[in-house]
Amino acid sequence: MPQELKHPQPRSDRRKRMGGQIQREIMQLILDRGLRPGAVLPTETELMDDLGVSRNSVREALKALQALDIVEIRHGYGTYVGEASLTPLADGLTFRTLVQLGGDDAHALTEILQVREILEEGLVSRVVKSIPEEDLDELDAIVARMMTRAGQGEVFPEEDREFHEVLYRSIGNTLVPQLLGAFWNVFHRVAGARGWAKDPSPTGTARRHKEIVAALRARDRERVQAAMTTHFRGIEARAGKAMRGVG
Amino acid sequence: MPQELKHPQPRSDRRKRMGGQIQREIMQLILDRGLRPGAVLPTETELMDDLGVSRNSVREALKALQALDIVEIRHGYGTYVGEASLTPLADGLTFRTLVQLGGDDAHALTEILQVREILEEGLVSRVVKSIPEEDLDELDAIVARMMTRAGQGEVFPEEDREFHEVLYRSIGNTLVPQLLGAFWNVFHRVAGARGWAKDPSPTGTARRHKEIVAALRARDRERVQAAMTTHFRGIEARAGKAMRGVG
DNA sequence: TAGTATTTGTGCGTATGTATG
DNA sequence: TCATACATACGCACAAATACT
């Protein structure tokens, strides 16, 4: 019964703040202060005072921003401006693909592969004339490692990832490897979550990568395009077989 | 010092749960129960009991999932499974671009435009032979509206957006328009946040769209590619001028 | 090596706004 | 109009992690 005035702020001031408003205020605070990725953010207590909201509200907003990789929270230490990477994209696409597969539509993964193929076809066309010899040497070394592993019946996801990263390094676009990496992550996480079999023919996969490098060395755009298309036909075959086996 | 046993649960049970663990459990719950987008989620109270955590923890996890568009929260009504759209990607890229521009690096927007250009070049190559006549008619109608608006000195962002959506409709890939839409949003939100001038030559922009449709009607791949490239040179000119003017 | 201060993580109780019936 | 159910928000207390003394 005694509930006198327990409100530190008059009611009229502290309502109508819902709907991601606090998140946007924190983002604006970062922009206004010119904070860069890695910079330290005000503590939760300071944000409470600055924004005039409770600690729970601040924490919920920070959690949302953390999910977008806009802030980075370290327990017992502080909160920092994040890199705004494409991790959220990978998370969202993975979830979406699994949810749609859970129904009976195995189309989502094919769509992601198609986008990745379009991207990579356009990318190789742009590097075929300009990729430096040293990058080609590095690609040869990666393919050699692939061959070795394939000869032992092993699979080589790390080399595969590295291959495509080096392949487009000379573009000088930081968004490209992140985007491709996100797609790559989705594919492998979905494959893992559904318990799909590994690459049934590592040797063939390694050979297709080798052909891409050879075509690049020849500076032959047509041949590079064809090699890349063949490479994706191999991936689709794996995915298609697995999806048919499950669905 | 009297801090007897105020813990409703023994300490050994409820620790080691941090780091997005609750979020993953909720995602797994959705997948396990086969819930589809739009399906109703358990209430916060039910999630508290199911996961054995407090309401604050549940709410923070739900807020994070909401930021990823994995769940949708409706005030006073309930929580639902979300569409897992690419809204988080647009949010993250927008923030990232603004943060980098805040430094002095105007490169981020150029990178996004480059990725979009590569994607659209590959996409038009795939539709040039297969896009149905009725879609071309629709594109003609959109271009006509562009021309009308341009003649009145107006700008036409909505028509621009619609154009590219109809253009790739026949691909049948739902990810493509979402991805392009996300990039489109980033560009215009960044432009708006920096107070950039509108398109200085709407007539020229409309004419470039018209040429794309004409090239598609001729089913001439080379010409379509060239028209698309010209279209992006126009966008880059706008962005470049604005960025130079600000930076 | 131990202790303390700071900061984030968690839990609980409660009041309030909102939509449904 | 009223009652119910739910999300939203606030405030407090304590746990746990980290840094610094």
Side-chain angles (χ1 to χ4, degrees):
Chain A
M1 28 341 250
Q3 71 234 29
E4 326 280 315
L5 47 139
K6 306 194 65 172
H7 305 295
Q9 297 184 18
R11 287 169 47 190
S12 53
D13 279 10
R14 64 174 170 73
R15 58 182 165 187
K16 297 294 178 194
R17 203 62 165 295
M18 32 176 293
Q21 182 61 34
I22 301 177
Q23 300 173 33
R24 263 169 295 171
E25 290 182 38
I26 294 177
M27 288 174 63
Q28 199 58 47
L29 181 147
I30 295 173
L31 296 174
D32 289 344
R33 301 190 183 180
L35 301 180
R36 307 276 294 174
V40 60
L41 226 61
T43 67
E44 295 179 350
T45 309
E46 288 172 316
L47 288 174
M48 285 173 55
D49 299 339
D50 289 357
L51 305 179
V53 295
S54 75
R55 178 148 177 246
N56 279 343
S57 300
V58 169
R59 285 184 55 77
E60 286 175 9
L62 286 177
K63 276 283 184 177
L65 293 176
Q66 184 188 34
L68 298 174
D69 198 24
I70 285 177
V71 306
E72 183 183 346
I73 306 177
R74 282 190 237 169
H75 188 168
Y77 194 62
T79 308
Y80 298 80
V81 180
E83 305 279 349
S85 69
L86 299 193
T87 308
L89 173 66
D91 293 344
L93 282 182
T94 301
F95 178 80
R96 172 160 109 161
T97 305
L98 290 175
V99 163
Q100 294 192 230
L101 283 172
D104 80 324
D105 186 358
H107 203 62
L109 208 54
T110 307
E111 291 190 345
I112 293 174
L113 277 178
Q114 187 178 27
V115 170
R116 194 181 141 195
E117 180 177 357
I118 293 172
L119 260 179
E120 297 218 26
E121 279 186 9
L123 286 167
V124 287
S125 292
R126 295 180 179 231
V127 298
V128 63
K129 301 294 185 189
S130 61
I131 185 171
E133 291 289 333
E134 54 189 31
D135 284 3
L136 290 174
D137 294 341
E138 202 168 336
L139 289 174
D140 271 332
I142 296 171
V143 170
R145 292 213 306 274
M146 287 182 176
M147 287 296 195
T148 302
R149 286 184 170 277
Q152 299 168 349
E154 294 177 8
V155 80
F156 38 80
E158 205 47 56
E159 280 76 11
D160 185 28
R161 191 192 188 88
E162 195 180 351
F163 181 90
H164 293 270
E165 189 172 329
V166 173
L167 187 55
Y168 308 121
R169 180 193 293 163
S170 56
I171 291 277
N173 186 321
T174 62
L175 184 60
V176 164
Q178 293 186 50
L179 205 53
L180 294 178
F183 291 150
W184 192 93
N185 271 333
V186 173
F187 184 82
H188 284 81
R189 277 196 279 183
V190 170
R194 312 304 282 194
W196 291 353
K198 298 176 182 177
D199 184 356
S201 172
T203 308
T205 302
R207 201 180 330 113
R208 284 188 281 271
H209 284 89
K210 189 182 182 68
E211 166 60 16
I212 292 174
V213 184
L216 282 171
R217 280 207 187 276
R219 307 289 180 182
D220 183 338
R221 177 169 307 191
E222 300 270 333
R223 187 177 159 197
V224 168
Q225 293 268 10
M228 185 58 74
T229 301
T230 303
H231 169 250
F232 273 93
R233 289 296 86 75
I235 300 177
E236 280 177 14
R238 284 164 54 189
K241 193 168 68 175
M243 290 189 294
R244 278 193 300 276
V246 171
Chain B
M1 37 276 292
Q3 69 235 26
E4 329 277 316
L5 46 138
K6 306 195 63 173
H7 307 295
Q9 296 183 18
R11 287 170 47 190
S12 52
D13 279 12
R14 62 175 172 73
R15 58 180 165 188
K16 298 297 178 192
R17 204 63 165 295
M18 33 176 295
Q21 182 60 34
I22 302 177
Q23 302 172 33
R24 263 169 293 172
E25 291 182 39
I26 294 177
M27 288 174 63
Q28 199 58 48
L29 181 146
I30 295 173
L31 295 173
D32 289 344
R33 302 190 182 181
L35 301 180
R36 308 276 295 174
V40 60
L41 226 60
T43 67
E44 294 181 348
T45 309
E46 288 172 315
L47 287 175
M48 285 172 55
D49 299 338
D50 289 358
L51 306 179
V53 295
S54 75
R55 185 184 301 271
N56 273 344
S57 303
V58 169
R59 285 184 55 76
E60 287 173 8
L62 287 177
K63 277 282 185 178
L65 293 177
Q66 184 188 34
L68 298 174
D69 198 23
I70 285 177
V71 307
E72 183 185 346
I73 305 176
R74 281 191 241 169
H75 187 147
Y77 195 63
T79 309
Y80 298 80
V81 179
E83 305 279 349
S85 69
L86 299 193
T87 308
L89 172 66
D91 293 343
L93 282 182
T94 301
F95 178 81
R96 173 159 106 162
T97 306
L98 289 175
V99 163
Q100 295 194 244
L101 283 172
D104 79 325
D105 185 359
H107 203 60
L109 208 52
T110 306
E111 292 190 346
I112 294 173
L113 277 178
Q114 188 178 26
V115 171
R116 194 182 142 195
E117 180 176 357
I118 293 172
L119 261 179
E120 297 218 27
E121 278 187 10
L123 286 167
V124 287
S125 292
R126 294 179 179 232
V127 299
V128 63
K129 299 295 185 188
S130 60
I131 186 171
E133 291 289 334
E134 54 189 33
D135 284 3
L136 290 174
D137 294 342
E138 202 168 337
L139 290 173
D140 271 332
I142 296 171
V143 170
R145 292 212 306 274
M146 287 182 176
M147 287 296 194
T148 303
R149 287 186 171 276
Q152 299 168 349
E154 295 178 7
V155 81
F156 38 81
E158 205 46 55
E159 279 76 10
D160 185 26
R161 189 192 189 88
E162 195 180 350
F163 181 90
H164 293 270
E165 190 172 328
V166 174
L167 187 55
Y168 308 122
R169 180 192 292 163
S170 55
I171 291 277
N173 186 322
T174 62
L175 184 59
V176 164
Q178 293 186 51
L179 205 54
L180 294 178
F183 291 149
W184 191 93
N185 272 333
V186 172
F187 184 83
H188 284 81
R189 277 196 278 181
V190 169
R194 312 304 282 193
W196 290 353
K198 298 177 183 179
D199 183 358
S201 172
T203 308
T205 302
R207 201 180 331 112
R208 284 189 281 273
H209 284 89
K210 189 182 183 66
E211 166 60 14
I212 293 174
V213 184
L216 282 171
R217 280 206 187 276
R219 306 290 180 180
D220 183 338
R221 177 170 306 193
E222 298 271 333
R223 186 176 160 197
V224 168
Q225 294 268 8
M228 185 57 73
T229 300
T230 303
H231 169 251
F232 272 93
R233 289 296 87 74
I235 299 177
E236 279 176 14
R238 283 164 56 189
K241 194 168 68 175
M243 290 189 296
R244 279 194 300 275
V246 171

